Amino acid sequence: MAQAEGGYYVPHGSNWPIIGSVGLTALVVGIALYLEGIGAGPYVLAAGVLITAWMVVGWFGDVVREGVKGLYSDQVDRSLRWGMIWFIFSEIMFFAAFFGALFYARALSVPWLSGEDPATSRLLWDSMVLSWPTAGPGMADLEWKPMGPWPLPTINTLILLTSGMTLTIAHHALKEGHRGKLIAYMWATVALGTIFIAFQSYEYYHAYVDLNLRLDTGIYGSTFFMLTGFHGMHVLIGTIMLLVITLRCMKGHFRPESHFGFEATAWYWHFVDVVWLGLYIFVYIL
Amino acid sequence: MRKMTARRGLGLAGLIVGLMSVVSPAAADLGLINMTRGVTESSRQIYDLHMTIFLITVVIGVLVFGAMFYSIYRHRKSRGVKPAKFHHSTAVEIVWTVIPLGILVAMAVPATQTLIELDDTSDAEMTVKVTGYQWFWGYEYMDEDVQFLSRLDVDSDRARQLGSGVQPASVDNYLQNVDKRLVVPVDTKIRFQITAADVIHSWWVPDLGWKKDAIPGFVNEAWTRIDEPGIYRGRCAELCGRDHGFMPIVVEAVEKDEFEEWLAGQRGGDAAAATASSNEQSEVSDQLASR
Amino acid sequence: MTATTQDHAHHEAEPTGLKRWLVTTNHKDIGSMYLLFSLAMFLVGGAMALVIRAELFQPGLQVVDPYFFNQMTTMHALVMIFGAVMPAFTGLANWMIPLMVGAPDMALPRMNNWSFWLLPFGFAILLSTLFMPGGGPAGGWTMYPPLMLQTGTAFPFVIFAIHVLGISSIMGSINVIATILNMRAPGMTLMKMPLFVWTWLITAYLMIAVMPVLAGAITMLLTDQYFGTTFFSAAGGGDPVLYQHIFWFFGHPEVYILILPAFGIISTIIPTFARKPLFGYSSMVYATASIAFLSFIVWAHHMFTVGMPVAGVLFFMYATMLIAVPTGVKVFNWVATMWRGAMTFETPMLFALAFVFLFTIGGFSGLMLAIAPADFQYHDTYFVVAHFHYVLVTGAVFAILAAAYYWLPKWTGHMYNERLGQWHFWLSVIFVNVLFFPQHFLGLAGMPRRIPDYSVQFADWNMISSIGGFGFGFAQLIFVYLLWQCIRGGQKAEARAWEGAEGLEWEVPSPAPHHTFDTPPVIR
Ligand code: HEA
Ligand code: HEA
Ligand code: CUA
Ligand SMILES: [Cu+2]
């Protein structure tokens, strides 16, 4: 637990957190106003997005500069690692809530509504028998189709798995000092992430237009879109992170023995990958 | 000085206890401090369970707090004691892990039995469907073509308005009276099918020993068998909005033949009347609800 | 072992005035801000409680409209839990953990600042909803749908405010974990850490695990309201009870988040004033971990009446009862620590002793609630209200007060006024029982919670309870005064302010200098 020379780096004052608070507040207030149909909403929201983006860029900019200057001892590096690990854990728990909703609906509420023990709930719904996938007893007249695993989701699974591999290859290249290979594989990873998002967008389009499967298509639509949607958002964020890291690789920010920014992004990307595997199994296949 | 403040603390306690006895005028009502034993086999089982756990915790409490206060009294620096140095003892720690565990197992056995009995709604002789609305109850005697709504009685409703000037004590059964009671026979296993039309409510009559949530879109089951004729009062027990506090339940248990008579008088017609009056009243509550 | 106290090697000119507080990365500054914020929220939440108690003083509606009453109940709980107790613990963590483990600061100082500064913003949003058309949230702090979906304009603001508070808690917890895992001085092994640090490590873990789940639950509420999802609507194949499961998966660990750091505080204070080492250090650690583990598998004891399959009810009943075992271990260890010690009874110790006594009473009523068939009677009555105020007020809040008295000399450099402290304690402990003990009777006699008006048989005990409430509130004003006095001046505190105090925090001067442990101390 020895401290590196120069002690633990404690930055003296930073404007970013308070700017972040203002930005985040404007952001959420903007959304809330918008949802309630109050005119100022979109403007407040836009201001919030801008301020928050400014904060993110500025804050990470500071961190990058300090890192490049070598202010971060090994101990600081470990703090950052713990921070990232626990952040990812919190994200996993966020997804767990939605997976929990999916399992509950499939294992409990839908069977109950369609007459399993306690059989009485079915009385309310004109003896309807339901089975997954379903939009629920109140939407029996709705015409819609569920989203199967083939072909797009399966292709997307392969894309994400491949991107995990290309990223790992890039990581090895970085550790071994092969700059060209590193940058090539990083771009490949970014490209794969982008393709995934493109396919996913097309899948949504297909769902809405061809399948009449929408966010409000009962519990199936709710769980389908919320799970894949939040995952998609994470892919988008991950891809942006990868892009930034790629650019930093090109600028030569990382050294073979010290490249936490790279690793944190890689962890995040693997986490997004694993969540997708869960989705693929529980949302698409089973 | 420290002793001084301790004594002053005690004095203060005395003062406050004195104050309390002055402000509580109807000492008789202070007897209302425990769970009712109720009027069904299950409610008595639950009461016994409640008293058993309560007494167990009292005994444990006396032991633990006894040791603590003894220590506070004896092992104080002002008595000139020297602190001991011990800081663990595996044997003791095992003992006080295992004994509570044993006590818990002993408690779990009767609790499990009672629970399983309460859950068994089979072989019911009649079924009543209960529906919670904001903010009244609907009752339907299944297969009998009898159904009606049951709301807070007019007197209570008038008295309860903010600044009504009516003394609650002057109203007969303030907030626990309804315009139309749920009438049921004694010595009959009655199944309840409980649901709700808008938000979650909870149907609770303490004398029957349980409450059950009324959940929109789902039906919950429960049962009772009442021993004694009488009027049993209960209330909605799940926050359901503005007038959650104002949707009481009154169950009137009568002899079986009396019940049959009553039921016969209810068949047909009445339901329409109930719905009509409900529309009228819900307009009033709509106005109140528009905040 | 000496601790260096000079300023940092690399530093720019530190800003002064308001700016200093806005941009600070110093754990002591941030800790102080957390603590003061928490006190302010305690007064706000307490004022709301007094509105509740005023309305319940007599049967009949005298003071507020029922809908406003429900807003007060809801807000009171949200403010107390997310605004008073959690930030108070985080403030204590900020101040004390680096001092206790010999670290120069928290692991992630800038993020630390952000964790704090999200709070005032989050609460500004939350409290502003009271003034919106349709009023604030009135569905209870548990926010069950479909009722919660009847909220007016306030609805999305409440949801997002809780999101913001959640982000703040998660970041705060990440910081605590990183600090504990990575910033300990050489030789400070895990099993040498002070118990306060241990309990916070586990609390932080709980928070990171469950705050996101709450975020998920309320996000589903939001989409059910605005985007047509049907998570909580039977017509769409969902279930209102699903919300309750997700909420309580958060909510039950949450109540241990509100008590584990308190256990740590009590385990620090009792040995100090008993002048004897804590009994059973390692069993305390294991007990804390067991409580945390069990807290994940008991959530549905809040839902015994929703109509779960009986096997589920049995499982949750057994699991809940088990929690009494590790908690009992803690209580017994505290008593064994007092046993054959040489006790003195300064204010921190008094609050700690009251904690042991009164928290245990709250635990006993908790155990009664855990017995599912009996809970069919207790549920949603004032018996539950009595239970949780015993564990929250005479539990969590008393522990926070004990901690404040205990460490005030270290924070301010002055001893507080002991006479006033004793007054504060005795008035608090008496009135709090006048306030909450009768609520057990009310609940058993059949008074539901969350009602603005009641039938007349409940009148007497309610009146007594309300008197207790106002008395208890008044007693807290003494504390506010004492605090003000202590910050401004008073008898100079020594580095080791208490005769029996152990731990690194007592090795540095009082008040603790702005920067401590620039070079880590060595622990043998
Ligand atoms: C700090 C917060 C805190 C703590 C520590 C606890 C601790 C416990 N709680 Fe409590 N609880 C709440 C806060 C807390 N609770 C809140 C806020 C609610 C209401 C939420 C709402 O609805 O709004 C609630 C509600 C609540 C319910 C739901 C009631 C209902 O709505 O119907 C239940 C039911 O099981 C319960 C049980 C318990 C148990 C078994 C413990 C145990 O941890 C207690 C263990 C302690 C002891 C038992 C005492 C010491 C032990 C011994 C001396 C050993 C020997 C003892 C024996 C063998 C008996 N609690
Ligand atoms: C940590 C959490 C916490 C704390 C500290 C408290 C503290 C108090 N609570 Fe608590 N309470 C909850 C958490 C908490 N509560 C929760 C979770 C609920 C459930 C909500 C729900 O159902 O959704 C609840 C519900 C609740 C109810 C039930 C409401 C209902 O069901 O309708 C009541 C009623 O008496 C009550 C009273 C009090 C009182 C009198 C205090 C006192 O301890 C407060 C003391 C503090 C002060 C009084 C402030 C200090 C002084 C001033 C501001 C100056 C002015 C004072 C005077 C002029 C005298 N609370
Ligand atoms: Cu209906 Cu409360
Ligand atoms: Cu709980």
Side-chain angles (χ1 to χ4, degrees), chain B residues 50 71 75 77 83-84 87 93 96 112 134 160 174 176 204 206 209 211 213 220 235 237-238 242 244, chain C residues 61 65 150 275 280 283 305-306 318 333 338 340 343 376-380 427 446 450 453 455 457 499:
Chain B
H50 156 70
S71 179
H75 309 136
K77 198 184 172 202
H87 53 80
E93 286 171 59
W96 69 41
T112 306
Q134 281 173 316
R160 67 142 172 144
Y174 178 61
Q176 9 190 32
W204 181 35
K211 62 177 70 68
D213 289 3
N220 273 330
R235 34 197 81 77
E238 175 66 52
R242 186 181 185 279
H244 159 59
Chain C
L61 290 173
D65 166 87
Q150 297 181 349
R275 295 170 178 73
S283 63
T305 62
V306 300
Y318 299 147
N333 280 346
M338 296 174 212
R340 294 185 46 214
M343 280 186 268
F376 292 165
Q377 288 279 35
Y378 307 138
H379 177 68
D380 262 329
L427 286 172
R450 297 165 164 173
D453 191 5
S455 37
Q457 73 268 34
E499 188 191 12

Side-chain angles (χ1 to χ4, degrees), chain B residues 254-273:
Chain B
V254 297
E255 296 297 346
K256 282 183 180 176
D257 43 353
E258 216 177 308
F259 173 70
E260 287 305 331
E261 232 171 84
W262 176 86
L263 197 64
Q266 297 296 312
R267 287 207 179 89
D270 212 68

Side-chain angles (χ1 to χ4, degrees), chain C residues 38 79 118 149 192 219 383 408 455 478 494 502 508:
Chain C
S38 139
V79 169
L118 280 175
L149 303 179
K192 275 189 192 162
T219 304
F383 191 79
L408 260 177
S455 37
I478 301 180
E494 291 166 27
E502 300 275 351
V508 301

Side-chain angles (χ1 to χ4, degrees), chain C residues 162-286:
Chain C
I162 294 172
H163 274 132
V164 170
L165 303 180
I167 294 171
S168 156
S169 308
I170 291 172
M171 291 198 302
S173 300
I174 290 178
N175 224 328
V176 167
I177 292 203
T179 307
I180 298 175
L181 293 181
N182 190 36
M183 306 286 284
R184 278 170 290 131
M188 173 75 74
T189 58
L190 285 177
M191 290 310 273
K192 275 189 192 162
M193 293 194 312
L195 253 159
F196 179 68
V197 180
W198 253 116
T199 51
W200 240 113
L201 178 64
I202 293 170
T203 304
Y205 167 74
L206 285 180
M207 254 202 252
I208 301 175
V210 301
M211 295 304 299
V213 176
L214 172 66
I218 58 177
T219 304
M220 290 182 226
L221 275 182
L222 189 83
T223 57
D224 267 18
Q225 178 83 315
Y226 293 105
F227 301 103
T229 60
T230 58
F231 290 105
F232 309 133
S233 140
D239 185 348
V241 175
L242 167 59
Y243 173 85
Q244 301 184 18
H245 281 286
I246 307 178
F247 179 87
W248 288 116
F249 184 85
F250 146 79
H252 187 81
E254 170 70 16
V255 308
Y256 291 106
I257 289 169
L258 299 172
I259 205 69
L260 292 184
F263 289 166
I265 291 165
I266 302 305
S267 305
T268 313
I269 291 178
I270 289 181
T272 298
F273 294 95
R275 295 170 178 73
K276 185 164 158 284
L278 180 68
F279 187 88
Y281 173 90
S282 34
S283 63
M284 284 295 208
V285 173
Y286 301 137

Side-chain angles (χ1 to χ4, degrees), chain C residues 14-86:
Chain C
E14 290 192 32
T16 49
L18 178 66
K19 179 91 193 283
R20 161 175 171 205
W21 299 100
L22 287 177
V23 306
T24 180
T25 51
N26 181 284
H27 72 104
K28 300 185 184 82
D29 285 352
I30 296 174
S32 302
M33 289 197 293
Y34 263 114
L35 289 169
L36 289 173
F37 178 77
S38 139
L39 180 65
M41 285 295 129
F42 179 66
L43 297 180
V44 171
M48 291 170 177
L50 294 181
V51 174
I52 296 174
R53 284 307 339 157
E55 181 55 63
L56 293 176
F57 188 68
Q58 281 178 21
L61 290 173
Q62 289 88 23
V63 187
V64 293
D65 166 87
Y67 193 75
F68 187 73
F69 181 92
N70 292 347
Q71 294 175 40
M72 284 293 109
T73 300
T74 308
M75 279 290 194
H76 158 67
L78 291 172
V79 169
M80 283 298 195
I81 290 178
F82 292 102
V85 175
M86 289 171 72

